[in-house]
Amino acid sequence: MSTPDFGEEKAAKYDAQLRRALNFWDIAYLEIGSMIGSGWMFAPLLAASVAGPASIVSWIIAGILVYFIAEAYTEVASMFPRSGGLVRFPQYTHGIFASYWIAWTTLLYVIAVAPAEALATTTYLSALMPGLLIPGTMELSALGYLVAVVLLIFYFLLNWFGVHVMGKTNTAVGWYKLLIPTFTIILLLVFLLHPINYSGLPGGFMPYGLSSIFLAIPTTGIAFAYLGFRQSVEFSGEVVKPREIAKGAVLGFTLVVIIYILLETAFIGAVEWSKISVQPGDWGSLAKSILSRGPLYQLLTLSGIAILAAFAVLFIIDAVLSPSGTGWIYVGGTARSLYGMAANGQLPEWFLYLNKHRVPKWGTIAALIIGFLFLYKFPAWGLIVTFITSAGYLTFIVSGPLALALRRLAPNAPRYYRIPVITIFSALATISVYLIVYWSTFDILWGVIVFILAGLPIFYMYVMPTRLNANKNKGVTAGIIYWVVLALTTYFMLYRPIIVPYEGVGKLPLTGYYAGLFLAYYVIILAMTVGLTLWLSRDIPSDLRIHIRAGWWIVAVLFTVFPLSFFGQFGVFANPPIPWPYDTIIAIIIGALIHMYGARSAFMTPDLKHALERVLSK
């Protein structure tokens, strides 16, 4: 194929310069450090407010679903240890079009995580310094912004001076981050356990129905907390021994899942209703109580027990370290995502440049600058975390097809870890992703999908001309048309007539007006996406068009989950046309079909050929 010389072959010389300094424990604590962040401090409260005691089951189900996803990536990372692997691997098997969708969506969410963690730390510190927040809100004050900015700069410096500094610092802090949640669980269960909370209150164990268990997974921080498993993949190119990637990843992930399940169990049992002025069994009101300003810290201090009050001091220290540990890891993860996009030819080559400490130079700087912008745009933790969750899991849709396709395309390539029963496990990975994204609710998903679609013009204007020899003038024209039509139709056909009344008054009546308006919007955007892509593809050399064909399944993901979310149980209608559980059954079926479509779309790309040559030459 006549693809321009930019991708895995050119990235190889920069990969060789990366410092390989991470060992088994560093990988394990990268997982622990990125998963035990702000999620463990806020998610137990929010999950309980949505699902009550049944939120314990939400954590278990989420852990199983994410396990399937992590398994798929772990096999691939052990086969190709590459920094920025999550955005590079899709290009190995599905070419430039599919990998661009994944890379762009990855960029949307990873750049938001470090600011979210800085927000979480600052919010918890407001328990000691109320001036960090605007009175009566959860939003940062001017002083709060200053603290958050300082934290982001600290994250940046820790990454700038090398992966060995960040990795060893993270391992040291990881021990503390692991011990504090563990002691919190023990103390809550020993001193504050109220067994009646589990099933003896009005509504019982499952006060808000079965669907609330699944709704809680993506909307309350549970899925967000588990997102951190990705770091063992993102830093895999800087591991001394690739065979340790799987071992460290499995250990770190398993420990964190156990901690989160026990933490939710302890939190549910520790709620003392009289001290938070909430009617017993009214779980939905917990998020509006005093617990909203640091749920676990408030439980400890309100208890009136000396040992718990003393432990609360250590807890506040962890309220700084836990989110910060995740924050500095994600600054590095963002830099490596930009590095991976540049390796794919989706960004300029200078994102591959390393500083004298052998870390991605401009990617790390960009992570800091964009982090400042996110702090300004999203001044509260709750405003940013739901966006991160939905976008983050959409990027994992390639996990199942990727692992299965590599078994077909490179069956004899060495792997340090192999998934058992790959056909079933890979399908479960894809279905798990699709379900988590669907359960995110339309209120969150519509904005995420619009942001993802807004990145397509960059593919038209930059990637197609440079990587696929498309006509640059036509690419610019198509990109401008796409942006204008997307902006106008989204505002006048979706946001103003549907989203505004939905957010203002709640669930809408099922009428032909709302359904018809959405379907008209849907058809316009789908036709424009397909039409402009095909129009530009006409100028691509015939041997490169396979890159476009191999990426249509990603488009299918977006344009199937979008209407299902609108008309399903978690959509905008008070009486949805596709109610629970039929909506979730349909999502499972679509997820399975998407998996088969994605796996069959894979082909032997030039990047995969070169990656295999690098592996086999060692």
Side-chain angles (χ1 to χ4, degrees):
M1 294 184 183
S2 55
T3 311
D5 178 23
F6 200 99
E8 184 67 15
E9 186 172 357
K10 180 168 285 190
K13 69 176 183 180
Y14 295 100
D15 288 342
Q17 298 175 41
L18 289 168
R19 182 165 188 160
R20 285 161 177 77
L22 303 179
N23 59 31
F24 164 79
W25 287 109
D26 295 329
I27 287 294
Y29 279 103
L30 276 172
E31 297 261 309
I32 294 168
S34 58
M35 291 174 71
I36 301 181
S38 59
W40 88 275
M41 296 180 173
F42 293 100
L45 166 70
L46 298 177
S49 69
V50 169
S55 56
I56 299 169
V57 180
S58 300
W59 284 98
I60 295 172
I61 293 174
I64 294 170
L65 296 179
V66 177
Y67 169 76
F68 293 134
I69 303 168
E71 280 280 281
Y73 277 122
T74 299
E75 174 171 321
V76 179
S78 71
M79 182 180 178
F80 300 117
R82 300 285 186 273
S83 290
L86 287 180
V87 299
R88 296 172 69 175
F89 296 153
Q91 187 152 302
Y92 288 2
T93 55
H94 290 86
I96 294 168
F97 190 34
S99 70
Y100 178 79
W101 285 110
I102 300 299
W104 171 255
T105 309
T106 299
L107 189 61
L108 284 178
Y109 99 84
V110 296
I111 59 179
V113 175
E117 301 306 312
L119 283 166
T121 296
T122 308
T123 301
Y124 246 94
L125 287 176
S126 70
L128 303 178
M129 301 174 61
L132 296 178
L133 300 181
I134 298 173
T137 75
M138 295 296 291
E139 297 186 4
L140 297 183
S141 65
L143 179 60
Y145 269 115
L146 178 61
V147 172
V149 165
V150 170
L151 286 170
L152 277 182
I153 293 173
F154 173 67
Y155 304 164
F156 164 80
L157 292 174
L158 202 56
N159 278 273
W160 185 260
F161 289 106
V163 70
H164 64 297
V165 175
M166 188 280 292
K168 301 308 178 185
T169 302
N170 185 72
T171 299
V173 172
W175 283 102
Y176 190 81
K177 291 180 65 173
L178 191 60
L179 290 174
I180 293 299
T182 302
F183 283 130
T184 301
I185 293 167
I186 294 171
L187 291 173
L188 292 181
L189 289 175
V190 170
F191 291 98
L192 296 181
L193 181 63
H194 305 289
I196 193 174
N197 286 353
Y198 295 109
S199 59
L201 299 176
F205 179 74
M206 195 165 54
Y208 305 118
L210 183 62
S211 64
S212 68
I213 293 176
F214 302 98
L215 176 64
I217 291 173
T219 62
T220 66
I222 294 176
F224 170 76
Y226 287 153
L227 268 174
F229 82 85
R230 70 190 299 275
Q231 298 305 335
S232 61
V233 180
E234 289 295 75
F235 285 86
S236 59
E238 291 147 272
V239 176
V240 178
K241 299 177 180 178
R243 69 177 68 252
E244 295 186 336
I245 295 172
K247 297 177 183 177
V250 170
L251 174 63
F253 181 80
T254 303
L255 286 175
V256 173
V257 170
I258 293 171
I259 285 173
Y260 273 128
I261 293 170
L262 293 176
L263 183 66
E264 187 70 35
T265 303
F267 177 82
I268 293 293
V271 174
E272 193 163 351
W273 302 92
S274 61
K275 292 188 176 181
I276 60 174
S277 301
V278 175
Q279 186 71 22
D282 185 9
W283 297 97
S285 295
L286 289 183
K288 303 174 185 177
S289 71
I290 191 175
L291 297 183
S292 63
R293 284 181 171 265
L296 296 167
Y297 176 78
Q298 296 295 345
L299 287 178
L300 293 169
T301 56
L302 291 173
S303 68
I305 301 174
I307 189 173
L308 299 186
F311 181 74
V313 176
L314 294 177
F315 187 92
I316 281 292
I317 296 174
D318 191 66
V320 175
L321 289 179
S322 281
S324 294
T326 303
W328 67 57
I329 291 171
Y330 267 92
V331 167
T334 299
R336 283 150 183 83
S337 292
L338 292 166
Y339 179 95
M341 290 184 72
N344 287 345
Q346 296 156 349
L347 288 175
E349 183 180 355
W350 40 272
F351 277 104
L352 290 170
Y353 296 168
L354 308 179
N355 68 9
K356 66 179 182 179
H357 303 288
R358 289 185 283 175
V359 298
K361 177 180 180 181
W362 294 109
T364 307
I365 293 173
L368 176 66
I369 295 172
I370 299 172
F372 290 154
L373 296 176
F374 266 85
L375 278 180
Y376 175 77
K377 180 64 177 176
F378 299 100
W381 188 82
L383 297 176
I384 196 172
V385 70
T386 50
F387 175 89
I388 292 171
T389 300
S390 188
Y393 280 90
L394 265 171
T395 67
F396 301 150
I397 196 67
V398 75
S399 59
L402 171 69
L404 185 60
L406 283 172
R407 287 287 185 96
R408 172 172 60 87
L409 297 172
N412 298 320
R415 292 167 171 83
Y416 293 108
Y417 180 78
R418 298 179 73 91
I419 303 173
V421 199
I422 182 70
T423 303
I424 295 176
F425 265 67
S426 61
L428 289 173
T430 308
I431 293 170
S432 296
V433 173
Y434 200 90
L435 285 173
I436 292 173
V437 172
Y438 168 67
W439 293 330
S440 295
T441 76
F442 187 79
D443 188 37
I444 297 168
L445 196 56
W446 79 268
V448 172
I449 289 179
V450 168
F451 269 105
I452 292 172
L453 294 174
L456 187 56
I458 300 174
F459 181 77
Y460 292 159
M461 294 187 287
Y462 180 79
V463 180
M464 289 187 78
T466 58
R467 294 297 319 266
L468 298 175
N469 297 323
N471 185 287
K472 187 172 184 178
N473 292 331
K474 286 185 177 181
V476 172
T477 301
I480 293 173
I481 291 173
Y482 197 97
W483 269 330
V484 171
V485 174
L486 179 65
L488 292 176
T489 55
T490 299
Y491 184 80
F492 289 107
M493 299 180 71
L494 182 62
Y495 178 73
R496 287 294 302 175
I498 298 177
I499 302 301
V500 170
Y502 170 69
E503 293 182 343
V505 301
K507 294 284 189 175
L508 303 175
L510 178 57
T511 65
Y513 171 74
Y514 291 122
L517 202 58
F518 173 79
L519 289 174
Y521 170 79
Y522 174 83
V523 170
I524 290 171
I525 300 303
L526 176 59
M528 181 172 63
T529 301
V530 175
L532 289 177
T533 304
L534 291 176
W535 178 57
L536 292 175
S537 299
R538 293 170 58 186
D539 297 326
I540 294 176
S542 58
D543 62 334
L544 296 180
R545 290 177 189 170
I546 190 173
H547 285 269
I548 301 299
R549 293 196 300 272
W552 284 121
W553 71 280
I554 300 291
V555 178
V557 172
L558 298 176
F559 284 96
T560 55
V561 76
F562 199 22
L564 181 61
S565 179
F566 183 80
F567 291 108
Q569 179 69 37
F570 307 114
V572 301
F573 295 118
N575 296 300
I578 312 176
W580 169 271
Y582 304 106
D583 58 333
T584 294
I585 294 172
I586 293 173
I588 292 172
I589 294 171
I590 294 175
L593 294 173
I594 289 289
H595 174 72
M596 290 186 287
Y597 184 15
R600 292 179 180 179
S601 297
F603 68 103
M604 179 63 74
T605 67
D607 289 299
L608 179 56
K609 288 181 180 178
H610 188 79
L612 288 170
E613 290 173 0
R614 290 175 61 184
V615 169
L616 296 174
S617 65
K618 292 182 179 180

